[in-house]
Amino acid sequence: MVETVSPSETETAPPRKRFPWPGGLSARLLLFTAIVVALGGLLIVPPTLAAYEEQWLLDRVRAGELASTIAESDPELRVSDAVANQMFDQAGAVTVAVQAEGARRLVLPPKEPFKTPYLVDLRRQNPGSWLAAPFFTLTSPKGSMVRVMAEPRFRKAEFVEVVVPDAPLKAALVEYFWRLAGVTIFIAALAGLFVYAFLNIFLVRPMQRITRAMEAFRGDPGDPEARIAVSKRRDEIGRAEAELDRMQADLLAALASKARLAALGEAVAKINHDLRNMLTSAQMASDRLAALGDPKVAQALPRLERALDRAITLASDVMAYGKSKEPEPVTRIIPLRPALEMAAEDAGLTAQGVGLETVIGPREQVLADPDQLHRILTNLFRNAREAIEGAPDRGGKGKVFVELRRAEGSSILRLSDDGPGVPERARANLFQPFVGSVRRGGTGLGLAIARELAQGHGGDLALVETGPGGSVFDLTLAGVPDPLPEPDDKAADASAT
């Protein structure tokens, strides 16, 4: 029966995006390149403006220093009004002063009073103040004056000092900023275009080609055009192409094998169905032969019955394993001791032959699906019984011992027997279907199905140890339920009376 599922149960609406974001790798690369280039341009602006302001102020200082040398060439150590006006026009300085041998001398006096200037000392500037100077100038109040101090170049003195209005500096900074912005944008756009083109050619396009190959292969694995064309690149892109090509080849081989196995499975299922009917008829005929009472027939009949039982078991196991996945376990808390005794009875454990021994109390419980737990325990008990009965020196007698442990939120059933142990050749594939059989004529499906059922419970089935002294299996089940409560003595006495 195929269960239909409504689209609302299988498809969920994609989450809404808070911000628009391009979906393609190429668009994201373009956006990322633009952001990186813009940030690079912004990082260039502060040091460039700071260097421009420093040079602008230094030029005014040098002009003022030349004015001081002219003043010292005058015998009266003063500058005429005409020369002062000319120097003022050239340097844009309001006043010029020089300090030499500890004495500060005003070389170019101001024509009129001015506001108290802010200081820029070009002799000693830390990187922070140097980078912040242009922004301080641009945000200074209108009509501000700047006092600039620098080391002299044309004369011997401690420093040269000029006072200039910062309005021309502001205008020069703004004009330079726009020129710088234009050049930066042009260079950034050109560099970004080259970076984008390079990355798009060598990274994005190969990734898009790999993605298209994966999508085409998923849509039609049998299409030869869906196979990736491996380039000669030796980097990660080339390795990804080579790995995708190998993966596609492996998947094609697996799909072909799966198709052949599916066809074979259908044929085997039909054969098993017909074979079971034949074997059932043969078993009925053997029952009729047994009723004849012929001694020769009675002597040969047990071998015939065992062969028929093995054949029917083989057909049943193959049919069961060929069905769909085991159903999900419906777990509940069940008493463990009765489950063990019922499984031991169905597995053929008896006190006269291979018997069950346990120290598990009658109130111990586990969390499991009753039917699936019964299948697991029955399979393990039957394997232990058959191994002991198959040992020539045991006479068909032995024991299977079961104990319960609790560890880290799990219940662990340890099942040990005193049989001959698991043969070396069967240990590696013990839980593999059709290849993990221990006894001759077995299918190897019992332990494979038992482990699958145990893992469906959130646990596992593992071989802990094996050898000539027997084998030990651990069956792990999730959960540690509390034991059944102690019986109420008063209630028991009342019911007895």
Side-chain angles (χ1 to χ4, degrees):
M1 179 177 179
V2 179
E3 182 181 357
T4 59
V5 182
S6 61
S8 60
E9 296 177 353
T10 58
E11 297 181 0
T12 57
R16 297 182 59 185
K17 297 181 179 180
R18 292 186 177 181
F19 305 100
W21 185 254
L25 184 60
S26 181
R28 293 188 179 191
L29 176 62
L30 179 59
L31 180 61
F32 176 75
T33 304
I35 292 175
V36 170
V37 171
L39 290 176
L42 290 177
L43 293 176
I44 294 174
V45 170
T48 307
L49 288 179
Y52 179 81
E53 176 176 323
E54 182 181 18
Q55 186 62 44
W56 192 93
L57 293 176
L58 194 58
D59 291 342
R60 271 61 187 169
V61 172
R62 295 293 172 247
E65 185 180 357
L66 289 175
S68 68
T69 58
I70 295 174
E72 289 183 350
S73 65
D74 191 333
E76 297 181 359
L77 298 179
R78 62 184 180 82
V79 180
S80 63
D81 293 339
V83 174
N85 291 333
Q86 185 179 2
M87 288 190 298
F88 176 77
D89 293 338
Q90 292 178 354
V94 175
T95 179
V96 177
V98 177
Q99 179 167 321
E101 297 179 356
R104 181 176 178 275
R105 184 168 59 86
L106 189 62
V107 178
L108 181 66
K111 289 185 175 182
E112 57 186 21
F114 54 84
K115 294 181 180 180
T116 302
Y118 59 88
L119 176 64
V120 176
D121 192 346
L122 299 180
R123 299 173 300 169
R124 52 180 76 90
Q125 278 188 309
N126 57 60
S129 62
W130 179 73
L131 290 173
F135 303 98
F136 181 81
T137 301
L138 291 172
T139 57
S140 63
K142 186 177 180 180
S144 298
M145 308 293 287
V146 55
R147 176 186 172 196
V148 187
M149 301 175 65
E151 296 179 354
R153 176 186 294 180
F154 307 111
R155 57 174 298 161
K156 292 183 179 181
E158 296 176 8
F159 64 83
V160 178
E161 174 188 321
V162 297
V163 176
V164 295
D166 69 350
L169 177 57
K170 284 183 181 181
L173 283 174
V174 172
E175 181 183 359
Y176 184 74
F177 170 78
W178 288 116
R179 291 202 311 268
L180 176 64
V183 174
T184 303
I185 291 174
F186 175 76
I187 296 176
L190 190 62
L193 181 62
F194 280 119
V195 171
Y196 170 75
F198 177 83
L199 294 178
N200 195 53
I201 292 173
F202 290 97
L203 291 179
V204 177
R205 288 187 180 179
M207 290 301 301
Q208 290 175 342
R209 189 163 59 88
I210 293 175
T211 303
R212 286 193 296 268
M214 295 171 65
E215 293 172 346
F217 186 81
R218 179 179 179 272
D220 186 7
D223 185 7
E225 298 296 329
R227 295 290 300 273
I228 183 69
V230 181
S231 63
K232 296 182 180 180
R233 297 180 60 161
R234 297 184 179 180
D235 55 5
E236 285 75 7
I237 297 293
R239 291 169 56 190
E241 292 174 347
E243 289 299 326
L244 178 59
D245 180 65
R246 283 192 285 268
M247 183 184 69
Q248 289 178 335
D250 294 342
L251 284 176
L252 284 175
L255 289 174
S257 176
K258 184 178 180 180
R260 290 194 297 268
L261 288 176
L264 180 62
E266 293 180 1
V268 170
K270 295 177 181 179
I271 294 171
N272 269 299
H273 183 271
D274 295 338
L275 181 61
R276 288 189 62 188
N277 294 333
M278 298 176 189
L279 292 174
T280 302
S281 300
Q283 194 173 32
M284 294 173 62
S286 68
D287 293 339
R288 293 175 183 175
L289 290 175
L292 295 177
D294 190 333
K296 293 184 178 180
V297 173
Q299 184 179 1
L301 197 59
R303 296 181 60 185
L304 176 61
E305 290 179 345
R306 286 196 297 271
L308 289 174
D309 288 339
R310 285 198 298 269
I312 292 175
T313 302
L314 173 61
S316 300
D317 289 344
V318 172
M319 289 290 291
Y321 188 77
K323 293 180 181 180
S324 60
K325 183 181 177 182
E326 293 287 347
E328 292 293 330
V330 182
T331 59
R332 59 186 178 89
I333 298 176
I334 58 175
L336 180 56
R337 184 70 174 267
L340 291 173
E341 293 173 350
M342 187 181 302
E345 181 180 353
D346 289 349
L349 300 187
T350 60
Q352 294 76 21
V354 180
L356 172 67
E357 294 185 7
T358 180
V359 293
I360 298 175
R363 290 187 296 274
E364 294 291 346
Q365 301 187 104
V366 292
L367 181 65
D369 183 304
D371 294 334
Q372 294 189 6
L373 179 62
H374 180 78
R375 291 172 61 187
I376 297 172
L377 294 175
T378 301
N379 182 276
L380 293 173
F381 289 159
R382 183 186 295 115
N383 286 351
R385 177 181 61 80
E386 291 175 350
I388 294 173
E389 291 177 348
D393 57 342
R394 299 300 301 273
K397 295 184 178 296
K399 66 177 181 178
V400 178
F401 182 76
V402 184
E403 58 180 328
L404 176 65
R405 300 180 180 181
R406 312 287 192 180
E408 298 180 358
S410 299
S411 301
I412 302 175
L413 284 174
R414 173 156 289 187
L415 300 91
S416 56
D417 60 65
D418 56 357
V422 179
E424 182 68 29
R425 57 180 174 80
R427 295 176 190 174
N429 301 312
L430 188 61
F431 297 100
Q432 298 297 321
F434 302 110
V435 295
S437 177
V438 176
R439 60 184 175 84
R440 178 177 296 180
T443 61
L445 291 174
L447 287 177
I449 295 175
R451 189 178 197 183
E452 181 181 350
L453 294 176
Q455 291 175 344
H457 282 72
D460 199 4
L461 176 63
L463 175 64
V464 178
E465 61 178 289
T466 185
S471 301
V472 179
F473 286 85
D474 272 357
L475 172 61
T476 304
L477 300 173
V480 184
D482 295 330
L484 288 169
E486 294 284 349
D488 191 348
D489 296 336
K490 295 183 179 179
D493 295 339
S495 60
T497 57

